[in-house]
Each structure stands twice: as structure tokens, then as C-alpha cells.
Amino acid sequence: MPRFASLRAGRPVRPRRVLSVLIPVAALLSGPVLPAPASAASAAAYPSTQAIKSWGTAKVDGKSRAQRVNAVVSAGGVAYLGGEFTKMVSPSGSKSYRNYLAAIDGTTGSLKSWNPKANGKVWAMELSADGKSVYVGGDFSKIGDRSVSKLARISLATGKLDTTFKPRSVKGRVRTLALDGDRLYVGGEFTSIDGKSRPKLAAVDASTGALLSWMPPPLGPGRYLGQTGVPTPDYSPGHVFAVEVIGGKVFAAGTFIDLGGQAGLVTVDAVTGALAEPQYDPGRPIFDLEAAGGMLYAAGGGPGGRLYAFSPDDDDPRWRAKVDGDAVGVAVSGTTVYLAGHYDFIVSQDSSCYQYCPGGPGRRHLAAFAADDGELLPWNPTADTSTGPYAAAVGSNALYVGGEFQKINGKAQPGFAIFPGAP
């Protein structure tokens, strides 16, 4: 089952296009697609569909894909990357070693000197509240020459480990992080932290890393399994892939089918850890979440992918969109939702097609929707490889996309792309 990850936020500027004919998702319900009337979304500005030339990740030996970027965050006009890469490559072909963490200038595309040197894969990144450091989670046991346990905080100025943040003994992979005030919520594949049982979801002190007493509902066996996300009750428990917090509610998503009795997505009280309303029923694995404007946006897989816009006060989606492959990453600006995934086409709501569905508008692994109503927007760059992008982040002047693609719009741009312009 593909991960998502962490689509956690981070984007020479071409003139922004102003288009008055869009393809609304609602128009895909039946019949041919008709031009939509002019709307606020029609006049919105989008980043360019053309990625600037920038450093990316090296090719995987013997494979037709780039070393994968799993997570991206944006701070001060710089994109910070975490993933499965060990080497970066410039547009001219020169190479530089970066073990699982790197930084690229969002304007010039040049590789920064920032080099924390993790010794294992990075799956999750989250900016600190003051924007001066980044929390990272993954498989690593060291940052530089310092021992850590799957979870760390790193200075953005120096690339050095912040030794005042000292989480203890995380037993298993960290896949996602979400900061809320003085708490850092941690999700993944782990079973315990600091010797205490915390299957797949926990909270630590954002300053010290100490485990908090917050305890989510019990996790039962079973997970969504395989490319079509078949719920399999007799399998080991599924994992937590994404966490977000809105107004005292913690939303956790993943491949589990019994986290407090909920499957794919669960709502938990941020104070007590008990189940909270509303509870959603996506009926499929959810790989990424993004909270923006008081709404929760969810990217899911299963038999075809989904993008949902949920209100934290209503169990029915405000809107949804269908694609013909797993949706694994979501990033949101003020007006636009960007979706990354393994899909090639937008699918009509009444269609039963879920794998290669050319009846709808083509979108090769990347698409944009109006945040308020789900209208499909004209922004339409293409990424290659069967999986393409895994993570996206909204920056102040660009949209950043990471994954294992080798090309954007047919031009070499391996593993990471910068789409300039206000997202």
C-alpha cells in the first residue's frame, strides 16, 4: 500500500494565467463537460505549470525513478526535503551527497549547505512554532554524530540537532507529525514510546520531547490492504499516515480499520483522547490530511483515489473528487487545494471506473481544485513514472512537489520540483 505521507507543506516566474472557463467537479456527475460560468476561482492566480530548473534527487540504481522525497516543508523561501535519497543532482548533472535531508532555495533552485546527515529514511517533517527549526520523523537513529530515536528537532540555521528536544525510545517508524501549541502529535508504525504502550499514535511535549499522558482509543487488528485497499480484519493493525488538529479535535488517518472502531479516519479529543464528533466514514485508506481555513482536506486511496473536503462539525463531506489511482498528498493555499497521487484522470462521480479512466479530464499525477467548492482548475503540469509525486507544500511564492518522478512536463526534474508563482 503506497504511503502518503506526509504531504506536509512547501513553490523565473511566468505571468499568471487568468482563465474564465473551468471544469467543475459537479459537471462530471453526468454527460459531457460544459464550460462553467465565470467565478472567483476563474480569476484566481495559480503557480506556473512549468517547473524551474533546480536540484533534485539522484536516480535509483537500476530503476526508472528518482530517489524518493517523502516530505517537504517551506520556511523563509527555502524548501526543506526529507525522504529516501542519499544524493542530490543539479540541472547540469553535478552531484552532492545529502543523507535523507536537504534544502533547496525556492527562487534559484540551488542546493543549500544545510546538511543534518540523518542515518535513515525521513518520512515526516513539521516546522516549529517559531519557524527556526524543523521536527523530523522516520527510521533514523542518528542525526550527525548524535544518537536519536526516530524523532528529532533540527535547527534550520545550522542543520544541527537540537539537544533540548529529547524524545526517548520510539519503537518503530514515525510517519507523520502535527504541532499544536505545546504538543507534537506523532503517528506511524511504532508500538511504544519511552517504554510505554502507544500503538501508532501519541503526543509528546513540543519543547522537551517527553511523552505526554494523552492516550488515544485502542487500536484493533486489521488494515486496508493492497492496491485496492481491501479491508482485511485478520491482518496486523494498520498504520497512521497523517495527523491534523482543528479546534481541540485531533484527526488521524491511515490504513487502520479499527482505531476506536473507526476505519481510515478517526476524530479524537485533543484533551482526553476519547472519540469525538464528527466521525467520518470514507470506507478506504486515507494517506494525507491538511487543515486550512477551518476545513480538513483528506487524500485517500483504495479502488481509485479520493479527495475530500470535510467540515470538523459535519460528518458529510462538503465536497469530494474522484481520481483513477491513489491520492497520496494534499497541500492547501488560501483558495486552492493541490492533490498529488498515482492517478491519470479525474473520474465522474457516477462512474464505477477506478483504474485508468480516460473518460474524464486528464491530470497526470497533479491537479488543483477550488477550496470552497471542489471545482477542478486548469492548472495541469504532468509528472512521469507510475507513482510520480508523494508530497507537496505551499510556499510564499511557489508550490513545491516531491516524489520519485524523473520528469515534469517531459523535462528532466528528478524527485523535486518548484512551480513558481503565488499558490
Side-chain angles (χ1 to χ4, degrees):
M1 175 70 64
R3 178 244 182 227
F4 198 80
S6 176
L7 259 220
R8 173 84 37 205
R11 299 161 169 271
V13 176
R14 294 179 59 187
R16 298 171 192 161
R17 297 184 296 170
V18 179
L19 301 178
S20 60
V21 179
L22 301 178
I23 305 169
V25 169
L28 301 178
L29 290 172
S30 62
V33 175
L34 300 176
S39 65
S42 303
Y46 319 109
S48 172
T49 58
Q50 304 300 315
I52 69 170
K53 291 182 178 181
S54 73
W55 281 72
T57 60
K59 186 175 180 291
V60 177
D61 290 341
K63 303 290 184 181
S64 297
R65 55 184 173 85
Q67 295 179 356
R68 187 162 127 186
V69 173
N70 291 325
V72 185
V73 295
S74 172
V78 176
Y80 295 87
L81 320 180
E84 303 173 41
F85 53 86
T86 56
K87 192 181 298 182
M88 307 296 289
V89 60
S90 75
S92 65
S94 59
K95 295 180 180 178
S96 185
Y97 288 97
R98 291 291 187 276
N99 288 337
Y100 311 109
L101 288 162
I104 296 177
D105 188 285
T107 301
T108 66
S110 60
L111 183 68
K112 306 288 284 186
S113 61
W114 192 77
N115 188 13
K117 298 180 182 177
N119 73 339
K121 297 174 184 177
V122 171
W123 293 91
M125 304 179 77
E126 177 80 333
L127 286 177
S128 64
D130 62 8
K132 295 181 179 180
S133 58
V134 62
Y135 298 95
V136 297
D139 301 334
F140 50 84
S141 59
K142 283 188 175 183
I143 299 292
D145 59 358
R146 299 272 190 163
S147 294
V148 292
S149 181
K150 311 293 192 303
L151 181 60
R153 187 169 62 195
I154 300 169
S155 167
L156 295 184
T158 66
K160 301 295 185 181
L161 181 72
D162 183 345
T163 57
T164 65
F165 180 76
K166 301 176 182 178
R168 297 178 59 187
S169 186
V170 181
K171 296 297 184 181
R173 173 177 291 167
V174 172
R175 279 191 174 270
T176 185
L177 301 168
L179 182 65
D180 183 55
D182 59 1
R183 289 188 175 195
L184 181 68
Y185 293 94
V186 184
E189 303 178 25
F190 52 84
T191 56
S192 67
I193 297 179
D194 194 15
K196 299 178 177 62
S197 178
R198 290 294 190 277
K200 315 299 174 88
L201 184 60
V204 301
D205 186 284
S207 296
T208 67
L211 180 68
L212 300 179
S213 60
W214 185 80
M215 180 77 76
L219 176 69
R223 69 174 69 180
Y224 288 107
L225 197 63
Q227 291 299 318
T228 56
V230 177
T232 310
D234 59 352
Y235 209 82
S236 58
H239 308 314
V240 171
F241 279 60
V243 177
E244 282 289 353
V245 185
I246 303 176
K249 298 176 183 180
V250 178
F251 302 91
T255 56
F256 53 83
I257 62 171
D258 183 8
L259 181 50
Q262 299 302 122
L265 182 57
V266 64
T267 310
V268 180
D269 189 278
V271 176
T272 67
L275 292 173
E277 293 298 327
Q279 294 295 339
Y280 309 109
D281 185 23
R284 61 186 59 244
I286 300 296
F287 295 118
D288 197 30
L289 298 172
E290 182 82 347
M295 295 289 291
L296 182 71
Y297 298 91
R306 296 290 188 276
L307 171 61
Y308 298 99
F310 289 115
S311 164
D313 301 312
D314 186 356
D315 58 6
D316 288 327
R318 183 77 54 84
W319 56 262
R320 74 186 78 194
K322 296 170 64 175
V323 291
D324 63 349
D326 286 345
V328 294
V330 59
V332 186
S333 71
T335 58
T336 307
V337 183
Y338 297 94
L339 184 69
H342 311 329
Y343 57 87
D344 296 290
F345 294 94
I346 308 299
V347 180
S348 169
Q349 295 286 354
D350 60 355
S351 172
S352 61
C353 182
Y354 63 87
Q355 185 176 17
Y356 190 69
C357 306
R363 292 294 188 273
R364 177 72 166 160
H365 300 332
L366 291 165
F369 301 83
D372 58 351
D373 61 7
E375 185 177 15
L376 180 65
L377 302 178
W379 188 76
N380 186 17
T382 64
D384 72 343
T385 75
S386 60
T387 50
Y390 275 82
V394 172
S396 57
N397 294 300
L399 176 74
Y400 303 120
V401 174
E404 57 188 20
F405 49 85
Q406 294 192 103
K407 295 179 179 180
I408 296 292
N409 300 328
K411 298 179 180 179
Q413 190 55 56
F416 173 73
I418 299 170
F419 296 98

